[in-house]
Amino acid sequence: MTDGVDSTNGRTVRRRTVLTTALGAVPVAMAGGIGGAGPASAAPAGDRGAVEGLTVEHRTDPLGVDAPRPRFGWRTTSTTRGRRQTAYQILVASTPDRLTAGRADVWDSGRVASADSVAVRYAGPELRASTRYHWTVRVWDENGRALPGAPAAHFETGLLGTDGVTGWDGARWITMAGKAPNSAGAPLLRRQTELTGRRVREARLYVSALGVYDAYVNGRRVAVPHGRGSTHELLTPGWTNYDARVSYLTYDVTSLVAGVRQVTLAAVLGNGWYNSRVSEASSYYSADGNRLALKVKLLIRYADGSTQTVVTAPGTDWKATDTGPYRADDIYDGQTYDARKELPGWTANDFDTAGWAGVDEHGFAAKFPDSRLVAYPGESARLIPEWDRTPQSVTVYTGEHGEAATLPLTLHPGETAVIDLGQNMVGVPRYSLRGPAGAQVAFKPGEMLNDASAGADGPVGSVYRANLRSAKATSTYILKGAPEGEIHQDSLTFYGFRYVSVTTTGTVTLTDFTGRVATSAIRDIGALTTDDADVNQLISNVRWGQRGNYLWVPTDCPQRDERLGWTGDTQLFSNTGLYNADAVNFLSHFEESLIDSQRIYGQDGAQFTWVAPGNRYNHPVPASGWADCGVVVPWTVWQMSGDPTVIDRSWPAMTKYLDWIQQRTGDTYAGQGAIFGDWLAFQNTGTQLMSDVYYGYSARLMADMARATGRTAEGRAYDELFARIKRAFIAKYLSTENGTLTVRSSLGDPPPTPGDTPTRTEDNTQTALLWILKLGFHDTEAQRRRLITMLADNIGNDAAYKDAHPDSTRVNYPENTLSVGFLGVNVLAPVLTDAGHADLAYKLLHQDAMPSWLFSVKNGATTVWERWNSYSEKDGFGPVAMNSFNHYSYGAIMEWMYESMAGIAKDPAHPGFRHFFLRPHLDPTGRITRVKGSHLSPYGEIVSQWAVRERELTYRATVPANSTATLRIPTSDPDTVREGRTPLSRVRGVRYLDFADGTASYRLPSGRYELASALG
């Protein structure tokens, strides 16, 4: 029990709070309360508003929260102009009925005069493990009036320990006794236990695995809530550096335990990432194989107040076998399921385990005593039913002759059915079959179909799989011969595919087929649409690429023998990713894995690694642009969420990284080096220049983050570092010899040149010019203007430019094309727009000649490709050694679409969209005349929608309550910018700022706006 005193608006409120125990709350009277609201003015027109979107740790009603001081968040909604929060009061209680003034028996914040509604820290007494807490928040508006109360929300703590012992009640890592690593058959584990109480009040299941698991309780697979129903997860508990941390997940299994006298816990264990070549060279990897393990605690609370736990431990009633139907599984190679070996009822009560083995304690805890067992902090990867894909066409081939077919269809040996789902996706197939026992059906997924062009690996119409490299990626099913048919869905692997070829060893009828989409990006929070079909397809491609590659970790690709958390891809796409989807926890968790990888695998324990988690392809070689992910991701998450927590958690690792570079390069102020450079660009920039600009970029971001988190002295130090990097860069790379400004981007080595990318560097490359302009690495305004001209000329690439640069790779490509790679793609359109060349940004957006974003769309893409020229109908398939058709990096253009096309742009000075910019840039080409964008910010949904018709702009916008925006709207005359008949400058609450270069600027309070503007 604690006593506390709050001083709020000069009024002292004395509080008494009591801890909630794991078995319930002990009610204690509480003095004080909400207090008066102060003088209130007359209510303005409009609704009073409401409080909604309550979150804890950026999740809605989460289970398994391990944060000792959880972060609360909420949104205020109102159609009233200028609605803003001036104070809040958080109440936390043991039961919903105690969420009132004076009755909250866990914590009452008192009335806090603050506009904060993002990441507000719990400041009550210590939370107890495995306990549900109910909470709400009360908000006062700009007039001192309390808004209607928010509905009660809740959160539930996890085990609140990280040592794998605390809170686990003796649960151990168990493994099947006598099973050799990599021997056939997935381990099936089960235990049946009698319940000790009569009426179950609640039950929680805490599960982790070395490998991946499917968990069952009393014969039913454990599911998670989704929409109005539920869905299944895929590959829990995800991927981490196991020697540093392992995740566990928490489930409410009350409904699976209630009303029975026995409980059976069961699980299937798959190899996952833990025992797969995807983890080669990792410190936990074994070439001879790792034994899989399970760790479980079932906590049951009864109505009479008693409790019971069931845990994994050797020497108990746990039994195991590997004789079941799961014969083989691998992240790269797929899954083999033999239905003849099914064990009906093995997950339910009263199954006979005669002949099953016992279990042993796994040696993991002894081998890695410092590895932490932690609650997974976000939403797990899961199957999203509303995104399921059904066949768009089915073709049956006999030899090279194909005929259109429909499901159901009967397939004979020697025939191949090719299914087109119409969308490159990531997940698993679900199929229904009828046929004789022992017939073996092979489902082989791929992203493309072969044609008659170069690089094809089979007959026209067959599924192209050469780009999978060594990944076998096959779902194999052996029928049991059930007359009513058989249904199967893989659960221990995943695939990246649009097409599937189906072959069989016996006559089999395929009655149904569905592509089940799996992702960690489970909730879209941003949307963009235009009146240009090709651009809309590009937007769709980016979104589907993100869904597929945001699967536990942000992977580079989902299909071939890679599927790794490449850090360069992650950092350059992170802003787009956070505009599109609710991914704050996802990327924050990846940052934690990256910090673990820095310590375990990073050069000198200081450089952030190329990939995380794991060590496959990591080498102790400097890699700017990839390593800087460790700085860029925290800055981006903070900017998009308004929550600085990720900065504080990452600060020691980030400073270690920057200090390491300084120690290596000293007073040269050069970067560490950048082996990959501007990866896969068609105009090569020296890798050292790319390293130097990223050194400067990280220093600038560190200065921003230092100031935002109260690290004033460190902020000044990073400002000084940035200034010194800038001076060194200008001296080295900007030549003014003979009065001509030249960017010496040809200095140094080119990046590796896989396939058909250029093998030499050039001066004045697009990517070098872009980064110099982004960072201001020049001395004078005249130089800046000249650099912009040079960039525009390079992009324009007209005959005169080609004649003047005959040795440039640009001579091989059309006018108005890009030539950037990975480290230039997310900088290109924003820098052009900021430099006054939105016209060029739009020309590049609409370009469909190679290289361009729409080149892939023109050639049938439904996701973003790894290479600008991964495939063309004319030239065929790109280099097979590195040619993914689902590789989201180039999709980073969508950041510009949100910020400059739709016009929803964050303000770096006010993270989390507390203040933001509405700055739509119209399409000078006239191709796009209508755009609608939206983004669910921490304060509410922002909308920016425009249309142009006959030189008039109509514009609609929504500024959420408790936030403000600066509108920059195109117009020929500010007097023509009107809401209805009233000039916007005269609308109550709106402040006119200025008019320049055909744009009028205004400061907008929250509210909805419908405007018109004359364009001249």
Side-chain angles (χ1 to χ4, degrees), residues 777-836:
F777 278 6
H778 46 74
D779 280 322
T780 67
E781 176 61 21
Q783 285 183 346
R784 189 186 78 89
R785 290 195 299 268
R786 178 58 190 154
L787 290 164
I788 292 170
T789 300
M790 292 161 63
L791 177 61
D793 289 346
N794 182 314
I795 292 169
N797 200 30
D798 60 16
Y801 181 85
K802 291 176 179 177
D803 287 345
H805 302 83
D807 297 327
S808 172
T809 56
R810 298 293 288 135
V811 301
N812 300 317
Y813 301 106
E815 297 180 6
N816 297 316
T817 50
L818 52 79
S819 63
V820 298
F822 277 36
L823 297 188
V825 70
N826 63 322
V827 182
L828 177 55
V831 167
L832 284 172
T833 303
D834 290 345

Side-chain angles (χ1 to χ4, degrees), residues 198-253:
R198 294 191 60 81
R199 188 161 64 88
V200 173
R201 179 165 61 86
E202 60 185 12
R204 298 292 181 267
L205 187 68
Y206 306 92
V207 191
S208 186
L210 302 174
V212 296
Y213 66 82
D214 295 341
Y216 295 82
V217 175
N218 285 342
R220 293 170 60 186
R221 185 174 169 190
V222 175
V224 291
H226 182 79
R228 296 183 177 180
S230 64
T231 190
H232 290 129
E233 299 165 307
L234 186 69
L235 304 175
T236 44
W239 189 14
T240 54
N241 290 301
Y242 299 97
D243 45 345
R245 75 179 66 211
V246 183
S247 296
Y248 74 86
L249 288 102
T250 304
Y251 305 92
D252 182 347
V253 294

Side-chain angles (χ1 to χ4, degrees), residues 815-891:
E815 297 180 6
N816 297 316
T817 50
L818 52 79
S819 63
V820 298
F822 277 36
L823 297 188
V825 70
N826 63 322
V827 182
L828 177 55
V831 167
L832 284 172
T833 303
D834 290 345
H837 275 292
D839 58 331
L840 277 181
Y842 270 106
K843 286 180 181 178
L844 290 174
L845 176 65
H846 291 304
Q847 177 65 263
D848 63 7
M850 214 286 293
S852 67
W853 285 285
L854 293 187
F855 181 77
S856 61
V857 171
K858 178 183 177 181
N859 284 278
T862 61
T863 44
V864 174
W865 296 346
E866 179 176 18
R867 309 173 70 94
W868 295 116
N869 61 341
S870 283
Y871 169 82
S872 74
E873 296 175 359
K874 175 185 176 184
D875 298 322
F877 294 90
V880 70
M882 193 156 309
N883 197 23
S884 158
F885 293 95
N886 191 352
H887 223 93
Y888 59 41
S889 296
Y890 291 149

Side-chain angles (χ1 to χ4, degrees), residues 1-3 15-20 68-70 92 105-108 122-128 133:
M1 186 178 295
T2 64
D3 287 300
R15 298 175 292 108
R16 289 189 81 207
T17 54
V18 64
L19 297 181
T20 302
R69 294 178 58 222
V92 183
D105 57 348
V106 178
W107 181 51
D108 181 347
Y122 172 80
E126 182 179 357
L127 299 172
R128 299 297 295 267
Y133 294 91

Side-chain angles (χ1 to χ4, degrees), residues 147 253 372 486 499 501 561 642 853 935 1013:
L147 273 60
V253 294
R372 292 175 290 165
E486 306 171 36
Y499 303 95
S501 70
D561 56 354
W853 285 285
H935 171 68
S1013 170

Side-chain angles (χ1 to χ4, degrees), residues 17-33:
T17 54
V18 64
L19 297 181
T20 302
T21 70
L23 303 181
V26 180
V28 173
M30 187 168 171

Side-chain angles (χ1 to χ4, degrees), residues 274-297:
Y274 177 69
N275 185 40
S276 168
R277 67 184 188 277
V278 71
S279 291
E280 284 174 342
S282 300
S283 54
Y284 56 82
Y285 176 76
S286 171
D288 296 326
N290 283 322
R291 299 179 77 188
L292 307 181
L294 178 71
K295 190 165 188 173
V296 168
K297 171 185 171 180

